[in-house]
Amino acid sequence: MANAVASDRLTVTGNKDFQTEIEKLSGQNIASCYQCGECTAGCPVAYTADITPNQVTRLVQLGQADDVLKSSMIWLCVGCETCTTRCPRKVDLAKVMDALREVSVKRGIASGEPNVRTFHESFLSAVQRSGRVHEISMIGEYKLRSLDLFSDIFLGAKMFLKGKLAIMPSMIKNRDEMKKIFCTRKRS
Amino acid sequence: MKYAYYPGCSLHSTAKEYDMSTRAVFNELGIELQEIPDWNCCGATSGHAMSRELGLALPLRDLATAESMGMDVLAPCAACFARLKTADTTAKDDPALLQSITEQTGIKYGGGVEVLSVLKAFSAVGAEEIAAHVKKPLTGLKPACYYGCLLLRPPDVVQFDDAENPTSMDDVMKALGAEPVDWPHKTECCGASLALSKSDIVVKLTHDILAMAKKSGANCIVAACPLCQANLDTRQDQVEAKYGEKIGLPVLYVTQLMGMAFGLPISELGLNKLMISPDKVLAGI
Ligand code: SF4
Ligand code: SF4
């Protein structure tokens, strides 16, 4: 490509389609980010992610869809809204992270943090089934799907003994409505 | 005075003591809580993390039911509160999106409901009124009030207290006769939604909060979120093992301490469900 600038990390394509797609889904003006780094400074998980929150917005501005969508950062984001609260440009970065995750799933990109995605899927499948989350079934499903079978097993046992984990699932009555609600999640 | 009560999934299981003590305290304050019939899960972090529309449709069904009850909603769980409040705000700010969800699901929400956290509800009651119910002042208790991430953020949506240095929980504690400590981690995030999938991160974040509370002179932590409380209370032995520091700080719900100060029967407050026993710090009360 004639106008592409190549470096070891980035190929700047100048293609704005990706930025436009994420801006539309998140309702945020990503172009207004001026890279101050305030979001990254307050982010509880940036210390352990592959790219930082301000790099996420910069890569979106540069049209680097792949680098962002396969990153661990978008999956480690816990939605704590610290970045959203502090951004001097009023970018709601938590919403941008939501949009990026949604697009990465739609495009079939492997999650940069597979267990986090598996957790979210297990949680939602519990809600879809019964309208509420029954911890023991949800944790069971997560453990089977992630094959992370033994972590926190003593913690679970202690909570059980304290009567903190309900044995029977609680189900809502109107599960037909739940089906319709889950149709709003478009996967492609 | 009546609220439509949204317990959410946690208050029916891991946070039973928050449910019990909330009901007991509101009863004492003369406020009736009517559980939203057939309520569904708000989707928590996972709903909006995976789909914008699903993350809105789930809480909108609960808001619509509350609207038909003609009452404002009390949501003690901070994560549920944030989802319900965000759905309410989005319904008002983005009528086209609301319309599209209504067409797909049949849920009709007219925006006539206010969503309150317990802190907002207590501030509406007022510190004087709360103090008037105190029978056993919490003298000598030095709580670190921990607000966490979702009770006050983002400020444009929550529109209550100060998102960076909140005081509403400290005000309740002072009204009960306690001396809350001043500390910098009131609104740091504990990473709760990664509790199962990335527990190493959660142990680090939990350590930072617990160690700071201890360093600031607190003898207990007060929380108003079942996810924060579970993380800070149940992971202390993991934190102690990994960082080689003794913590031993009981983590109580704000409503449990109110119930204690109001002289309500201990059996209604679920203190025995806490992992780190509060018996020692509450001994003199
Ligand atoms: S705080 Fe806002 S303006 Fe600053 S780098 Fe982050 S997103 Fe950009
Ligand atoms: S919302 Fe996500 S990106 Fe923003 S500070 Fe919290 S964890 Fe970091």
Side-chain angles (χ1 to χ4, degrees), chain B residues 116-129:
Chain B
L116 295 94
S117 62
V118 286
L119 295 182
K120 177 88 192 271
F122 293 144
S123 107
V125 170
E128 264 177 43
E129 173 70 14

Side-chain angles (χ1 to χ4, degrees), chain B residues 122-160:
Chain B
F122 293 144
S123 107
V125 170
E128 264 177 43
E129 173 70 14
I130 290 173
H133 287 264
V134 172
K135 298 204 179 71
K136 297 179 183 172
L138 304 181
T139 317
L141 197 72
K142 293 193 166 59
C145 292
Y146 179 61
Y147 300 75
C149 49
L150 295 171
L151 273 175
L152 302 160
R153 288 200 287 258
D156 292 352
V157 171
V158 175
Q159 304 208 347
F160 170 67

Side-chain angles (χ1 to χ4, degrees), chain A residues 25 80 82 85-86 98 101-102 113 120 131-132 135 152 158 162 164 172-174 177 186, chain B residues 13-14 17 38-39 41 46 48-50 52-53 61 153 164 198 235 237-238 272-274:
Chain A
L25 186 57
C80 73
T82 307
T85 302
R86 294 180 184 167
D98 283 352
R101 247 176 265 120
E102 194 165 344
E113 285 290 345
H120 290 319
R132 294 181 187 169
E135 269 99 356
D152 283 339
K158 271 201 276 179
K162 285 268 181 189
K164 281 176 162 262
I172 70 162
K173 292 193 202 86
N174 199 339
E177 218 164 46
K186 295 164 199 79
Chain B
S13 58
T14 50
E17 66 272 37
D38 209 36
W39 58 267
C41 169
S46 301
H48 71 89
M50 301 303 280
R52 182 187 192 196
E53 289 189 35
R61 178 175 176 272
R153 288 200 287 258
E164 297 288 2
K198 298 292 289 181
R235 293 198 180 265
D237 35 5
Q238 290 177 5
N272 58 345
K273 292 197 178 287
L274 303 174

Side-chain angles (χ1 to χ4, degrees), chain A residues 24-27 42 44-45 47-48 75-82 84-86 90 92 94-95 97-99 101-102 105 113 115-117 119-121 123-124 127 131-135 138-139 142-143 148 151-152 155 158-160 162-166 170-175 177-178 180-186, chain B residues 9-10 12-17 35-41 43-55 57-58 61 83 86 90 100-101 104-107 149-150 153-156 163-164 187-189 191-201 204-205 229-230 233-235 237-238 253 272-275:
Chain A
K24 200 165 159 244
L25 186 57
S26 65
V45 299
Y47 80 95
T48 184
W75 291 99
L76 290 176
C77 166
V78 288
C80 73
E81 318 238 22
T82 307
T84 303
T85 302
R86 294 180 184 167
K90 294 227 165 282
D92 186 339
K95 282 215 178 82
M97 297 288 182
D98 283 352
R101 247 176 265 120
E102 194 165 344
V105 172
E113 285 290 345
N115 281 1
V116 177
R117 175 163 178 201
F119 171 77
H120 290 319
E121 295 289 4
F123 189 98
L124 291 179
V127 180
R132 294 181 187 169
V133 170
H134 175 242
E135 269 99 356
M138 188 268 290
I139 294 170
Y142 166 75
K143 290 205 165 280
D148 170 21
S151 65
D152 283 339
L155 196 58
K158 271 201 276 179
M159 296 188 86
F160 186 76
K162 285 268 181 189
K164 281 176 162 262
L165 293 175
S170 132
M171 298 244 181
I172 70 162
K173 292 193 202 86
N174 199 339
R175 290 202 292 285
E177 218 164 46
M178 219 28 65
K180 283 192 212 150
I181 287 178
F182 271 81
C183 288
T184 62
R185 180 178 177 197
K186 295 164 199 79
Chain B
C9 305
S10 297
H12 270 207
S13 58
T14 50
K16 240 175 232 158
E17 66 272 37
E35 189 160 327
I36 297 178
D38 209 36
W39 58 267
N40 60 269
C41 169
T45 306
S46 301
H48 71 89
M50 301 303 280
S51 160
R52 182 187 192 196
E53 289 189 35
L54 178 61
L58 285 165
R61 178 175 176 272
R83 289 345 303 158
T86 299
T90 312
S100 148
I101 292 175
Q104 296 172 73
T105 61
I107 296 167
C149 49
L150 295 171
R153 288 200 287 258
D156 292 352
E164 297 288 2
T187 64
E188 291 296 306
C189 171
S193 71
L194 299 174
L196 279 181
S197 52
K198 298 292 289 181
S199 45
D200 50 331
I201 297 181
K204 182 216 176 256
L205 298 177
Q229 194 282 338
D233 184 22
T234 62
R235 293 198 180 265
D237 35 5
Q238 290 177 5
Y253 288 104
N272 58 345
K273 292 197 178 287
L274 303 174
M275 294 283 173

